[in-house]
Amino acid sequence: MEGATVHQPGAVWMWPLRGGGWRMPLLFATVAICYAAGSFVALRLIEVSDLQDVLFIPAGITVAFLLRLRRRTWWVVLTAAGLTEYFIDVVAGFGHGQAMGFALANTVEPIIGAAIVRTLCGAVDLTRRRHVLWFTVGAVIIGPAVGATVGAGANELFAGSDFLMTFTQWWLGDSLGVILVGGAILAWGSDDDRRSSFSFWGAMLIAGSIALTVGVFAFAYFPLAFSVLIGVVFAGALFGVRAVALTALTIALTMAFLMALDPGDSLIGLSRASALVLIQLQVGVFTLSGFLIAAESHERDLAIRLAARAALMAEESEVARKRLHDLAVNVQRGLLPDRLPQHPGIQIAARYESATEAFEVGGDWYDAFQLGGDRIGLVVGDIVGHGIDAMTSMGRLRTALGALAIHENDPAALLSKVDEFVGGRDGTAYATVFYAIVETETGAIRYASAGHPPGLIVAADGQSTWLDQGQGMPLYGEPDRPRPQGSALLEPGGALILYSDGLIERRGESLDIGLTRLARLASQLVGRPPKGICHELFTNFGVGPSREDDVVVMVLKPEPSRPGTYRETFPAQPEELRRIRKSIRAWATSRNLPLATQDDLLIAIGEATANSVRHAYRDTEPGDVEVTITPIGAILEVAVNDRGTWQGPSQSLSYTGMGRSIINSVAQAYKTHNDEGGTHVTFRLPIASNPM
């Protein structure tokens, strides 16, 4: 069997050829019989109307065969049409030359029209406006015009007939045959109508069109002739191309039958020939208009159906993706710690949100674990990429780092060992990690970073310090590279903030802008508990429902406690004075001392420590200065001790001077004492209003 289904919108199909070796003869016979039958009807219309051509049915049959068969079979169709036309014309009494001219005209005409349409449209589907337009141009206008030229020329040459009259009637008759007969055949190979022509309303449409046609011809009033074709337009708007073809063909045959019954003029005021030409034009124009209206309605309906189907599929796909995403997120959250370690003197909180813009999970993660004694390990990491692979890599890397951390006290060395794991058989993808060890008693921090954004320390007074000294390359299986390490101090009242790049990165924005925004916001939030800081960072950074990357934030803060003794020893160097003031301010803030008391404390201690730095170790190697603050009820006992030898009594705080005056102005019970161990300054400072 030979045939093909052309993949166009709708149900466009090509005629299959069956019969094995008899396929071509059977095709030849089929075309010849159909052509002969159509010619017989056309000749009868010519005889009864006494006109050259009314409706040449074979023109529509031939072009329809060509448009529904493969090109390699066209020669069979054209041969059958040409020979049949020749023999019919000879039998009808035309000369051999005239018959051969007509046969040539009726083979050139369909092949030109079909070639134009097939080249520009492929398989014809009259439910598409573009196909209707090219069908009109190629098969209805150009093809019949060429055939009419050849046929009228042969008629003038051999019979002496008027060329223009023959051309006009030939062209109109063949065009109408292509529109009505060819269009009807092609319509049944196109997509289905919205409503069937064989339904109740379809029957009413056909019956009404016939009745209206009979009524118009009964009045024989030409201006009413167009009204009979309104049914064609209704058929296109309400039914489809098949109903258009059937209605138009019914009206045309009814008109032909009525004209055959009436030997006189069919319409008042017009000759028979003129009336026929105008009626042919009206039928052709209205039928093509009906095809266009039907095609536009079909395309609109098809677009609506496709849009609805696409919306439904998108909704179903979204639900399925959301379900898979939620499942993956639950699995990923199961890989993260369900609780953070509890340790006296500190508070830890963390928050994680997965990427949602593409409904994919990623590889961001965090962890915290006890390392023995007063040490806690904190880690935030990011596996590059998204999806299940990143999630499983994250789980393996987290497990490996947690297992190695308890055996390694050096953050940089630990990251080198983890890098060795990354390059191993069960390793992970390219990853960034920030790892820190915090000593909870002293606040000392040692850290190292493998390509991860720097951690942030925010002091109690809002000053920010970036942990950027230990920056190294990301982890990707190169353990032999040396890795740097940094250290810092987390003082009472401050906070350590670790995070992933999803918090600070924004499309089209510099990373420095995100870091600056983080430092500014963290300085405003430092007084809040860790959980509140995490929440506010997510809220203020716009970590909402349409983010491209995972986001992790982890915050560690020393717990606020009741007043205890403050003790700090520092080198007697001027640059240390600022640091010691900052440390005392943080201690006082963490214990909620009134601001007035804090200011007086810093003034008095500042004078005492500055004098020790200037005078205690003149002409000798600088030693140490020790500051002790002991809360006793509503009083702060302060002692400033050095181990130096002051040069001359005039320079000692035990004598009258500005230092004594300043301290006495804010403190009580000021005393100094010099001995072989150095100089000792003591005083008391009342706590202003709301003592702890």
Side-chain angles (χ1 to χ4, degrees), residues 34 37-39 41-42 45 53 55-62 173 177-178 181-182 253:
C34 293
S39 296
V41 175
L45 289 174
D53 201 351
L55 172 64
F56 193 64
I57 297 174
I61 293 175
T62 309
V178 172
V181 180
L253 292 176

Side-chain angles (χ1 to χ4, degrees), residues 401-415:
L401 192 145
L404 294 171
I406 60 176
H407 303 292
E408 181 57 66
N409 295 324
D410 184 38
L414 175 63
L415 291 186

Side-chain angles (χ1 to χ4, degrees), residues 331-351:
V331 173
Q332 186 169 19
R333 291 186 186 279
L335 295 174
L336 297 175
D338 55 354
R339 56 176 299 182
L340 296 173
Q342 303 297 314
H343 194 283
I346 64 166
Q347 295 178 339
I348 306 177
R351 183 171 175 180

Side-chain angles (χ1 to χ4, degrees), residues 412-667:
L414 175 63
L415 291 186
S416 295
K417 291 182 178 179
V418 174
D419 206 358
E420 184 177 357
F421 167 78
V422 168
R425 181 175 60 86
D426 295 323
T428 67
Y430 183 91
T432 66
V433 173
F434 188 98
Y435 176 64
I437 298 177
V438 180
E439 296 180 4
T440 59
E441 290 294 328
T442 64
I445 300 174
R446 290 175 295 126
Y447 64 91
S449 173
H452 202 80
L456 177 66
I457 288 180
V458 184
D461 60 359
Q463 294 294 318
S464 299
T465 302
W466 291 105
L467 304 185
D468 53 7
Q469 298 176 0
Q471 289 289 341
M473 295 295 292
L475 306 178
Y476 57 91
E478 295 290 338
D480 295 334
R481 294 169 301 168
R483 290 192 172 275
Q485 181 170 297
S487 61
L489 180 65
L490 177 61
E491 298 175 340
L496 169 63
I497 301 175
L498 306 182
Y499 55 93
S500 64
D501 55 9
L503 179 69
I504 59 173
E505 284 187 346
R506 294 295 180 269
R507 185 180 299 174
E509 182 180 273
S510 169
L511 186 61
D512 291 339
I513 296 176
L515 292 172
T516 301
R517 187 186 299 120
L518 174 59
R520 183 172 61 250
L521 181 58
S523 67
Q524 301 170 5
L525 301 173
V526 68
R528 302 195 179 190
K531 188 174 182 180
I533 294 177
C534 291
H535 174 76
E536 291 297 327
L537 289 179
F538 269 67
T539 301
N540 287 276
F541 269 84
V543 182
S546 58
R547 53 190 173 275
E548 300 179 3
D549 201 359
D550 293 2
V551 181
V552 164
V553 173
M554 185 160 59
V555 178
L556 180 144
K557 286 191 67 176
E559 286 185 347
S561 58
R562 291 178 298 177
T565 299
Y566 173 88
R567 182 176 287 106
E568 180 74 19
T569 301
F570 63 95
Q573 297 176 350
E575 58 267 22
E576 288 290 322
L577 294 175
R578 182 176 181 276
R579 187 186 68 81
I580 205 66
R581 286 195 298 270
K582 183 178 177 182
S583 175
I584 293 171
R585 174 75 79 176
W587 174 85
T589 300
S590 69
R591 284 147 179 81
N592 295 323
L593 295 180
L595 288 177
T597 302
Q598 295 184 32
D599 293 341
D600 290 345
L601 182 64
L602 290 175
I603 290 172
I605 293 179
E607 285 298 323
T609 54
N611 276 286
S612 291
V613 168
R614 287 196 299 266
H615 305 301
Y617 300 101
R618 292 173 64 89
D619 302 326
T620 63
E621 284 293 326
D624 293 331
V625 179
E626 182 184 79
V627 178
T628 303
I629 308 172
T630 305
I632 303 176
I635 298 295
L636 298 177
E637 291 277 1
V638 181
V640 178
N641 301 309
D642 63 63
R643 297 175 179 81
T645 302
W646 289 47
Q647 302 299 314
S650 62
Q651 297 173 329
S652 173
L653 276 174
S654 58
Y655 293 89
T656 303
M658 289 298 296
R660 171 190 287 273
S661 299
I662 292 174
I663 295 175
N664 279 328
S665 67
V666 297

Side-chain angles (χ1 to χ4, degrees), residues 2 14-36 61-62 64-82 84:
E2 179 186 4
M14 303 288 284
W15 289 334
L17 295 179
R18 298 180 177 87
W22 291 92
R23 289 179 297 176
M24 296 306 178
L26 286 175
L27 176 61
F28 182 92
T30 302
V31 174
I33 293 171
C34 293
Y35 194 97
I61 293 175
T62 309
F65 268 96
L66 294 180
L67 290 175
R68 281 290 181 254
L69 291 170
R70 291 180 178 274
R71 290 178 186 266
R72 63 172 176 265
T73 64
W74 283 10
W75 69 272
V76 179
V77 176
L78 295 173
T79 301
T84 305

Side-chain angles (χ1 to χ4, degrees), residues 112-113 116-117 120 130-145 171 288:
I112 290 177
I116 293 173
V117 178
L120 296 172
R130 177 173 170 271
H131 288 206
V132 173
L133 290 174
W134 284 116
F135 172 74
T136 302
V137 172
V140 176
I141 298 176
I142 297 178
W171 180 74
L288 291 174

